[in-house]
Amino acid sequence: MKAPTWVDNLALDRGWGGEKQQPPSPEQDKTDPNLLIPDRKLGGKYNDYFSGDIYDNPSSQYEQDWGINLNGRPYLTHIKSLSTAWPHLRYLAQWMEVTTTPKKWQLIDTHPKLDAIREERARRTKIAAIDFTSGQPEPNKKDINSPEQLEECLDEPAAPGATRLYVVEDLSRDVVELLGSKLDIDPLFFREHINDYLWYNTRDPWAELPDLDIVSRTRSYFRLTYMQPRYFKTQESLDEAEKQAGLFNVLRHLDVDKYHTSLFDEDEAKVALVRSKASFWIRQGNSTQQAIGVLLVDPSITKGFPLWKGYRPFMNSPSFSDKTRYEEPPRTSLFDDLIFWISKTSQKDIDAIENNPRAMAFRIMQIICAEWLTTCTYVTTRLSQIEWEIERPELFQIVEKKDVQNESLNFNQSLQKLHTWRRRLPGYRAMVTDTRRKLFPDPDPSSRRPDCIKDLEKDFDILGHHIDDLLSRTERIAAVATAVTAIEESRRALEQNKALGRLTYLAVIFAPLSFVSSFFSMSTNVSELTQTIWIYFCVAVPISLLVYLLVEWSWMNKPKNATVVLKGKVKKIEQKF
């Protein structure tokens, strides 16, 4: 009989059993706070620091509210005992007690089904135990769907000579408890996986500070951070995707690219970059114990589509003459895709695991590199569109260009899009650099045997260069945009000078006339002017004409000089870029 999944358990807990009743989908339960990602954008009474910040006392009223019985939970007890000397582990203890990010407690603490929600989240289990045996053509897989099955599998050793890998989707309190206590895993391994923040405020209790390399280099685990781009045709689809993320136990945000609309995009379409992590822990084998690996991967968002339908298969397409039947990944979730590709591990790569247990994570490394390359292609697309907007602004008018103010608005919108990538790309480069440093440390001179991990190093080198090129391209576009802005301001200044020149013509005509008339009006006897009025015209007209010619000659020379200056600036910009 098939063991019930966490969805089945939740259905029973909430009274959804029977043939006609089904658990409510996110579409049917739009207001359920259990579906929300705790974030400041929720507004209202939401507060990131409702239970205190990192400088407050270690205990709070809320910790008493969500606290649980520690009997039978030795690993959680161990974490809480360490949280005094290692304060960052306190957040992991809170996460295990709440059964999700502690910030979500203020959203669900008054939920009518709070106990059922916490129980489901605490017991959530979706794991595949995979045994790699040297000499066997393919690995053996066992599905685990409950904490009881996980405990049974952990107590049952792998076959002699085999290396076991546990692939875990999402995390839960019971899974952390069992893996941590049975395999003696460093709590920091789980602590680094449960959040996705790219930067921290000075009060954040969930901040993760970097360790010294002399400390971290001896650890038996590493964490890889990457982005998964997804395409959403409608805002409703994006909203449902965020609700799916709200159901995760680990905290994952969607960075929505909402300002980067293009001429060719659909009106409501959005692209979101899902913050993602994969963490890998290894216990080296020896004469008394077998090698074991634990791979943590994120649950998948199924709403929307993988951007451009996702990565390409990790194999060449069959030739016309090759009639061999081939299989394709299910594309239903990251977990299912990963299990598919692990099942396709070659005999050579299985044999390499015996000498390098890191080779068990080869397939997730391939997927991560492919997701990064897709992200880079997307950034390249957006940067190309920004360049096109600067070059041909009439094709991308945000407002109708009837005046200088609206024209500036169009240009400023392009710069706003550009500054978004100037802010994000350094973070992406740091993620890729950290991944390369962890996957490919300094080679051991005593071991020169090539394996699949070493073969993948070239792909990550290409990825690193691609990120560097994108960052350099962003800076070049910013420099060109600044120069174009300066030239545009000079052009506008010339137009304003021409407008002022029209006033100068009027002054040239009327100023001499006014001067001459004032000069002749100094006489007190007006009747005498009838005899000398002709003198006024004989003097005023030649003087006005002379002054006009002098001003016209001077004015005709100035625009030519200004144009030469502008042309010189353009030539310098073209030579530089």
Side-chain angles (χ1 to χ4, degrees):
M1 180 177 179
K2 182 180 178 181
T5 65
W6 63 267
V7 176
D8 299 325
N9 293 330
L10 178 60
L12 294 175
D13 289 337
R14 295 192 176 184
W16 294 332
E19 297 179 356
K20 296 182 179 180
Q21 294 181 338
Q22 295 294 331
S25 64
E27 294 86 348
Q28 298 169 325
D29 199 4
K30 296 180 181 296
T31 60
D32 188 351
N34 190 38
L35 304 177
L36 300 178
I37 300 175
D39 195 276
R40 287 190 181 92
K41 67 181 181 180
L42 295 177
K45 296 182 180 180
Y46 176 82
N47 178 17
D48 275 345
Y49 310 110
F50 77 102
S51 61
D53 58 28
I54 195 170
Y55 308 106
D56 290 334
N57 294 327
S59 179
S60 69
Q61 176 186 353
Y62 292 98
E63 289 187 337
Q64 298 175 6
D65 294 340
W66 65 53
I68 61 174
N69 190 348
L70 297 181
N71 292 333
R73 305 185 190 280
Y75 194 68
L76 177 56
T77 303
H78 171 66
I79 294 172
K80 293 176 76 72
S81 67
L82 295 177
S83 60
T84 302
W86 286 268
H88 51 283
L89 293 180
R90 176 191 173 196
Y91 189 76
L92 176 60
Q94 293 176 340
W95 182 91
M96 293 181 67
E97 291 180 316
V98 178
T99 66
T100 184
T101 174
K103 294 197 304 178
K104 195 160 186 172
W105 180 259
Q106 61 185 306
L107 301 176
I108 63 174
D109 63 339
T110 59
H111 198 289
K113 297 289 186 179
L114 176 62
D115 293 339
I117 290 174
R118 295 183 70 186
E119 179 68 14
E120 179 275 318
R121 286 182 176 271
R123 290 180 52 82
R124 188 178 298 177
T125 307
K126 186 174 182 180
I127 301 175
I130 303 174
D131 291 342
F132 300 91
T133 304
S134 180
Q136 290 189 0
E138 61 182 27
N140 296 320
K141 180 177 75 75
K142 178 181 180 181
D143 293 326
I144 301 173
N145 297 301
S146 70
E148 291 77 17
Q149 291 181 350
L150 175 60
E151 184 174 14
E152 180 182 347
C153 186
L154 289 169
D155 292 335
E156 178 185 349
T163 301
R164 175 167 291 178
L165 172 66
Y166 292 96
V167 181
V168 182
E169 181 187 79
D170 208 352
L171 274 178
S172 66
R173 180 178 67 205
D174 290 355
V175 169
V176 173
E177 180 70 40
L178 288 170
L179 291 176
S181 59
K182 296 286 187 179
L183 300 179
D184 194 17
I185 298 177
D186 186 343
L188 193 58
F189 170 67
F190 302 109
R191 170 65 180 85
E192 292 182 351
H193 187 80
I194 58 179
N195 278 340
D196 69 344
Y197 294 103
L198 305 179
W199 56 276
Y200 305 100
N201 291 311
T202 55
R203 300 174 57 197
D204 292 347
W206 48 82
E208 299 178 38
L209 299 181
D211 292 303
L212 297 179
D213 180 69
I214 195 174
V215 176
S216 60
R217 75 176 65 156
T218 59
R219 290 174 179 159
S220 58
Y221 64 87
F222 55 82
R223 179 198 70 239
L224 308 178
T225 308
Y226 64 105
M227 311 298 289
Q228 293 187 72
R230 292 193 69 83
Y231 179 84
F232 302 94
K233 286 190 174 182
T234 63
Q235 181 63 42
E236 181 182 1
S237 176
L238 175 59
D239 293 340
E240 297 303 328
E242 291 184 331
K243 291 176 181 178
Q244 283 187 323
L247 283 173
F248 299 167
N249 282 343
V250 294
L251 181 64
R252 297 293 182 262
H253 289 84
L254 286 75
D255 293 334
V256 183
D257 201 10
K258 55 186 176 182
Y259 297 113
H260 291 72
T261 56
S262 173
L263 180 66
F264 309 103
D265 293 340
E266 295 183 4
D267 293 338
E268 295 187 22
K270 297 288 189 299
V271 174
L273 303 178
V274 184
R275 304 178 194 176
S276 307
K277 285 184 178 181
S279 302
F280 186 54
W281 174 85
I282 307 172
R283 187 184 72 182
Q284 297 288 346
N286 53 40
S287 58
T288 61
Q289 63 182 12
Q290 296 172 317
I292 294 179
V294 176
L295 176 61
L296 309 180
V297 298
D298 288 346
S300 296
I301 293 174
T302 58
K303 294 295 181 180
F305 306 89
L307 186 62
W308 293 307
K309 301 296 287 186
Y311 58 86
R312 291 183 177 181
F314 305 127
M315 54 187 176
N316 292 321
S317 56
S319 64
F320 175 75
S321 59
D322 186 2
K323 304 302 181 182
T324 304
R325 183 178 178 274
Y326 63 90
E327 298 181 57
E328 56 182 311
R331 304 283 185 175
T332 53
S333 68
L334 172 63
F335 181 87
D336 294 337
D337 279 11
L338 179 59
I339 298 302
F340 170 83
W341 289 115
I342 290 177
S343 68
K344 302 301 178 184
T345 303
S346 66
Q347 182 68 62
K348 175 184 176 182
D349 293 339
I350 292 178
D351 296 339
I353 293 175
E354 184 177 359
N355 298 298
N356 183 10
R358 284 177 172 236
M360 289 188 289
F362 171 64
R363 291 304 189 179
I364 190 63
M365 295 178 190
Q366 281 186 308
I367 293 176
I368 290 174
C369 188
E371 294 287 7
W372 269 124
L373 290 174
T374 303
T375 301
C376 289
T377 304
Y378 174 70
V379 177
T380 301
T381 299
R382 291 309 193 193
L383 292 180
S384 299
Q385 291 170 350
I386 293 172
E387 288 179 317
W388 198 6
E389 290 175 10
I390 295 175
E391 179 184 0
R392 300 286 303 277
E394 67 276 4
L395 298 179
F396 300 88
Q397 291 181 16
I398 302 168
V399 294
E400 188 176 356
K401 291 202 307 184
K402 294 182 178 179
D403 52 42
V404 174
Q405 183 178 2
N406 287 344
E407 193 172 321
S408 299
L409 179 60
N410 288 317
F411 191 76
N412 290 338
Q413 289 286 354
S414 299
L415 290 182
Q416 182 183 15
K417 299 175 185 179
L418 179 64
H419 290 323
T420 299
W421 296 118
R422 293 185 70 187
R423 174 176 57 85
R424 290 182 179 180
L425 281 172
Y428 296 167
R429 180 171 64 177
M431 293 180 193
V432 173
T433 301
D434 183 65
T435 297
R436 294 167 66 188
R437 180 178 60 84
K438 291 175 179 177
L439 294 183
F440 314 107
D442 296 334
D444 184 1
S446 62
S447 178
R448 299 182 179 275
R449 179 179 298 180
D451 55 31
C452 55
I453 302 298
K454 184 65 177 178
D455 295 339
L456 198 59
E457 184 174 6
K458 180 64 175 179
D459 291 281
F460 277 93
D461 288 342
I462 295 173
L463 173 61
H465 293 316
H466 200 168
I467 293 284
D468 291 338
D469 291 342
L470 288 175
L471 192 56
S472 300
R473 182 179 180 182
T474 304
E475 296 301 328
R476 290 196 300 270
I477 296 174
V480 170
T482 302
V484 171
T485 302
I487 294 175
E488 189 68 17
E489 292 296 331
S490 299
R491 183 183 64 81
R492 293 172 186 168
L494 287 177
E495 293 178 353
Q496 293 175 355
N497 288 339
K498 290 180 179 179
L500 293 176
R502 297 185 181 95
L503 297 178
T504 304
Y505 285 126
L506 295 177
V508 165
I509 296 174
F510 287 101
L513 297 177
S514 177
F515 169 75
V516 175
S517 62
S518 299
F519 180 78
F520 281 104
S521 66
M522 289 187 297
S523 174
T524 57
N525 190 355
V526 180
S527 61
E528 296 178 357
L529 293 178
T530 57
Q531 300 177 357
T532 60
I533 190 64
W534 61 273
I535 301 177
Y536 167 78
F537 290 103
C538 292
V539 175
V541 171
I543 291 178
S544 298
L545 181 60
L546 177 62
V547 173
Y548 174 81
L549 293 175
L550 291 175
V551 171
E552 179 68 14
W553 176 81
S554 176
W555 181 256
M556 291 297 293
N557 288 334
K558 285 184 179 181
K560 183 182 297 186
N561 294 336
T563 302
V564 172
V565 173
L566 287 178
K567 289 182 178 179
K569 289 183 179 180
V570 173
K571 288 182 179 180
K572 289 181 179 180
I573 294 173
E574 292 177 348
Q575 292 174 358
K576 185 175 182 180
F577 299 103

